[in-house]
Amino acid sequence: MIYRRLLRPLLFRLDPDPAHRAAIAALTHGHRVLRTPAASRDPRLAQQVLGLHFPNPVGLAAGFDKLGTAVAAWPKIGFGFAEIGSVTAYPQPGNPPPRMFRLPADDALINRMGFNNDGSSRTAGRLLVAKRRGRIGEIPLGVNIGKSKITPADQAAGDYVASLEALWPVADYVVVNVSSPNTPGLRDLQESSALAEIVRALQEVNVRRSELEQQPARPILVKIAPDLSDAQADAVVDLALELGIEGMVVCNTTLSRDGLRSDRAITTEVGGLSGRPLAARSTELVRRVSRRGGEALVVIGVGGIFSAEDAWQKITAGASLVQLYTGLVYEGPGLVARICEGLLARVQRAGMTSIADAVGAEN
Ligand SMILES: Cc1cc2nc3c(=O)[nH]c(=O)nc-3n(C[C@H](O)[C@H](O)[C@H](O)COP(=O)(O)O)c2cc1C
């Protein structure tokens, strides 16, 4: 309530880019005053997934904390895991502003940020310091890697490999982002031979580092676009199974503008659309991927989650974990606790003992 009545109107008076920077700065410096909500640590929401302990299934989606500066705040808000990035091998400024747009009539955002980040080496350095200071480790930390804009598509694998080499020590799991619409040609990497080359190269690094450092290999997941046809999505799942990828993040933002209420002046902005209009397609894709992938693939469901009911739909469609971004912008940080409370109520109502029982229950 405080967020919607007080903070959101203030933040929404700013342009989205500075508003986002203000939110990140407040979380980076203010995490000490936050108290982890009780529901978010209820054992009935905890799961062992990807060989990691998740205190609850609600995570921060990639793109909100691209640099990993606010990592200490995410468990305090109640998140069960957080994904930083996308990080690229080379530092890059991203697209010029304006590059993020609010569509309040649709509970949506359009963005063409273009992977603004300070590169994998600096990000790894910052996270190593955070780790030494005990600021990460309470919840699993995912690292989402993308391709630098200056790297040609046929050298993409090397770019992803450089990022994995740098970030390996701090990543609990790794997401290969081949689905952002804002790097020219990136989504073409979802095609089988290109994706296989990238994943094989990453797996090689993973095995080598794991043996060298005497630590478990990092689970590798692939993040896909909602605009893939069903046949294309099936092909990615089959490839994931063939390569032994641990999971898929379903899904990134969409290029579709179907059914929007907002003014054309905004809906025609170039970029990826996120939020409520993405929810149905995302859930449909979660169901498809989890049915085809079966036990072998962990699905992280993301797209248009604004409530416990939205999260429950993705989980019962087959997502072991869920993530949010746009919901956080519209509903504020209290949304995470509300989703955890609502999920607990649903687990109880369904006569289940744990959220794990709900995964794929409607499949
Ligand atoms: C401003 C903005 C920036 C994003 N940046 C990234 C990114 O760098 N990497 C990525 O994999 N996804 C990125 N995403 C996509 C989100 O992680 C998520 O997949 C998508 O927004 C759908 O979830 P939502 O409806 O809860 O926002 C971004 C989304 C937004 C709104």
Side-chain angles (χ1 to χ4, degrees):
M1 273 321 234
I2 293 176
Y3 180 81
R4 288 195 70 139
R5 291 238 174 106
L6 231 94
L7 284 176
R8 191 172 88 174
L10 286 176
L11 282 171
F12 276 25
R13 245 190 257 168
L14 301 173
D15 282 338
D17 233 358
H20 182 253
R21 279 199 297 276
I24 286 286
L27 290 163
T28 303
H29 301 293
H31 64 90
R32 282 185 194 83
V33 302
L34 300 168
R35 290 282 160 269
T36 307
S40 73
R41 296 299 178 264
D42 190 296
R44 287 168 294 178
L45 291 185
Q47 286 179 96
Q48 198 72 16
V49 183
L50 299 167
L52 301 165
H53 177 78
F54 291 79
N56 72 64
V58 187
L60 177 76
F64 202 99
D65 191 6
K66 285 187 189 264
L67 309 180
T69 48
V71 281
W74 306 124
K76 297 286 184 294
I77 288 173
F79 278 118
F81 66 111
E83 194 173 306
I84 65 130
S86 293
V87 181
T88 55
Y90 295 100
Q92 53 182 44
N95 291 318
R99 53 191 184 176
M100 200 195 312
F101 306 87
R102 300 186 190 101
L103 291 70
D106 293 299
D107 281 338
L109 297 171
I110 289 176
N111 91 83
R112 51 167 177 270
M113 303 300 287
F115 293 165
N116 51 306
N117 80 107
D118 55 4
S120 49
S121 311
R122 288 191 66 173
T123 304
R126 191 165 40 243
L127 290 171
L128 279 169
V129 171
K131 195 169 181 174
R132 233 176 285 135
R133 293 187 178 155
R135 294 203 176 134
I136 51 181
E138 194 178 333
I139 55 174
L141 184 77
V143 172
N144 179 308
I145 53 180
K147 182 187 77 66
S148 310
K149 192 175 178 188
I150 56 164
T151 300
D154 62 356
Q155 290 163 37
D159 198 277
Y160 286 97
V161 159
S163 291
L164 180 61
E165 289 279 18
L167 290 156
W168 198 92
V170 290
D172 290 314
Y173 72 86
V174 177
V175 176
V176 186
N177 181 7
V178 281
S179 50
S180 163
N182 302 314
T183 295
L186 190 85
R187 287 152 67 117
D188 298 339
L189 299 175
Q190 291 172 108
E191 181 270 318
S192 291
S193 63
L195 185 56
E197 188 190 336
I198 295 168
V199 169
R200 286 208 182 95
L202 292 173
Q203 284 173 327
E204 230 178 87
V205 172
N206 202 15
V207 169
R208 179 168 45 74
R209 293 295 291 266
S210 153
E211 284 166 2
L212 201 71
E213 327 239 346
Q214 301 279 296
Q215 284 180 31
R218 307 316 195 215
I220 295 178
L221 295 84
V222 171
K223 185 164 178 178
I224 61 169
D227 305 328
L228 292 178
S229 67
D230 287 346
Q232 286 171 321
D234 288 351
V236 178
V237 173
D238 294 349
L239 182 71
L241 294 172
E242 193 188 314
L243 294 170
I245 291 172
E246 279 84 353
M248 307 225 331
V249 183
V250 183
C251 55
N252 216 310
T253 55
T254 180
L255 290 175
S256 160
R257 297 292 188 265
D258 289 348
L260 298 180
R261 272 178 252 176
S262 302
D263 201 284
R264 268 185 59 82
I266 302 180
T267 61
T268 49
E269 287 291 351
V270 170
L273 176 80
S274 60
R276 212 182 287 281
L278 188 57
R281 171 63 183 152
S282 164
T283 304
E284 181 189 299
L285 208 47
V286 163
R287 182 168 282 113
R288 190 169 188 97
V289 168
S290 77
R291 275 189 184 152
R292 199 169 178 96
E295 297 278 300
L297 271 192
V298 168
V299 176
I300 301 184
V302 49
I305 296 179
F306 283 70
S307 67
E309 181 54 33
D310 297 335
W312 183 252
Q313 279 179 18
K314 291 226 174 7
I315 291 168
T316 54
S320 298
L321 304 165
V322 296
Q323 292 177 325
L324 37 123
Y325 185 138
T326 307
L328 204 56
V329 171
Y330 283 96
E331 304 294 325
L335 176 61
V336 183
R338 289 200 293 281
I339 292 179
C340 288
E341 284 157 14
L343 288 178
L344 271 176
R346 280 166 178 76
V347 164
Q348 241 165 344
R349 216 182 302 147
M352 297 170 174
T353 51
S354 153
I355 192 72
D357 301 336
V359 176
E362 297 288 323
N363 256 348

